[in-house]
Amino acid sequence: SLMAQITPLATVTAVFNPGKAEILAEQALQLAQTLGDQIAEAKILWNQLIIYRNINKAAQAIVCGQRALALVRQLHLPEQMAFVLHDLGYCFAFKADFKSAMASFLEASELWRELSNLPMLGDSLTGACLVCVFTGEYDAAITFFEEALQISQSIDSLWGLAGCRHNIGYVFGDCGEMERAIFEMEES
């Protein structure tokens, strides 16, 4: 029951309460470790990654994420692995570890393709696009954007459309394509 409460509180939603999520996650983690439930432990560590990412404690988020990733790899849990990799990608990007961020997003994208999870594939491609925006690799950013845009349009994902268009607006602006930049940002 503790685990069911953590994710909504850890995620930026109407019920976002990272303090409460952090307390519940600590309690749940101790219980999972006492019970030897590694699957629960991995999910709780992933939730801690989300909590710390959302309160700008990227270093703590990465530690939790790497612990979760080691467990899900050991337990062969591809879907949970993809979630952890995806969220780790953002943490690495915000710490300017762009090589690790890109590796995380690409591995997550590969898993999402295998799992046929198009919403999350689009989101991970958007993350890869963001890394390319940060590093000035604009051709690659556009390639990731175009695929994320196509996926998001095909499944009518407003979240996906907003995210990928926001990121690419910076690229078009930097390249002097102001009308396109403004269009993408307004669409976002």
Side-chain angles (χ1 to χ4, degrees), residues 19-157:
K20 186 172 182 179
E22 189 173 10
I23 292 167
L24 293 174
E26 283 298 326
Q27 292 172 351
L29 185 60
Q30 289 175 0
L31 185 56
Q33 290 170 336
T34 299
L35 296 171
D37 187 342
Q38 291 184 313
I39 294 173
E41 185 178 348
K43 187 167 185 178
I44 296 161
L45 288 165
W46 168 64
N47 275 288
Q48 287 180 313
L49 177 159
I50 294 169
I51 294 164
Y52 295 130
R53 184 186 91 187
N54 287 331
I55 60 172
N56 298 316
K57 292 184 177 181
Q60 285 177 267
I62 290 169
V63 169
C64 292
Q66 289 174 325
R67 288 177 56 202
L69 186 59
L71 278 172
V72 295
R73 285 191 195 284
Q74 174 189 332
L75 299 169
H76 307 289
L77 302 171
E79 183 177 50
Q80 190 64 47
M81 187 184 320
F83 278 113
V84 172
L85 286 163
H86 173 83
D87 289 320
L88 267 174
Y90 282 105
C91 295
F92 288 131
F94 296 137
K95 292 286 286 178
D97 182 353
F98 300 123
K99 184 177 179 182
S100 296
M102 184 59 78
S104 292
F105 285 126
L106 292 178
E107 187 176 354
S109 294
E110 189 176 309
L111 289 165
W112 295 130
R113 283 184 209 285
E114 291 172 11
L115 295 166
S116 299
N117 187 326
L118 294 179
M120 287 306 301
L121 173 57
D123 210 25
S124 287
L125 292 169
T126 294
C129 174
L130 181 64
V131 172
C132 292
V133 170
F134 287 161
T135 60
E137 298 172 73
Y138 292 158
D139 289 340
I142 291 169
T143 298
F144 287 121
F145 159 72
E146 288 173 346
E147 186 177 2
L149 179 67
Q150 184 276 323
I151 290 168
S152 298
Q153 287 171 332
S154 74
I155 60 173
D156 198 28
S157 169

Side-chain angles (χ1 to χ4, degrees), residues 1-34:
S1 69
L2 292 173
M3 287 177 52
Q5 298 174 63
I6 299 168
T7 305
L9 296 170
T11 307
V12 181
T13 63
V15 296
F16 181 57
N17 186 335
K20 186 172 182 179
E22 189 173 10
I23 292 167
L24 293 174
E26 283 298 326
Q27 292 172 351
L29 185 60
Q30 289 175 0
L31 185 56
Q33 290 170 336
T34 299

Side-chain angles (χ1 to χ4, degrees), residues 126 129-130 133-134 145 149 158-173 180-188:
T126 294
C129 174
L130 181 64
V133 170
F134 287 161
F145 159 72
L149 179 67
L158 297 178
W159 175 263
L161 289 167
C164 71
R165 284 192 151 135
H166 173 78
N167 290 342
I168 206 64
Y170 296 113
V171 171
F172 291 124
R180 179 79 190 267
I182 291 168
F183 170 79
E184 296 298 349
M185 291 293 210
E186 286 179 343
E187 284 295 304
S188 175

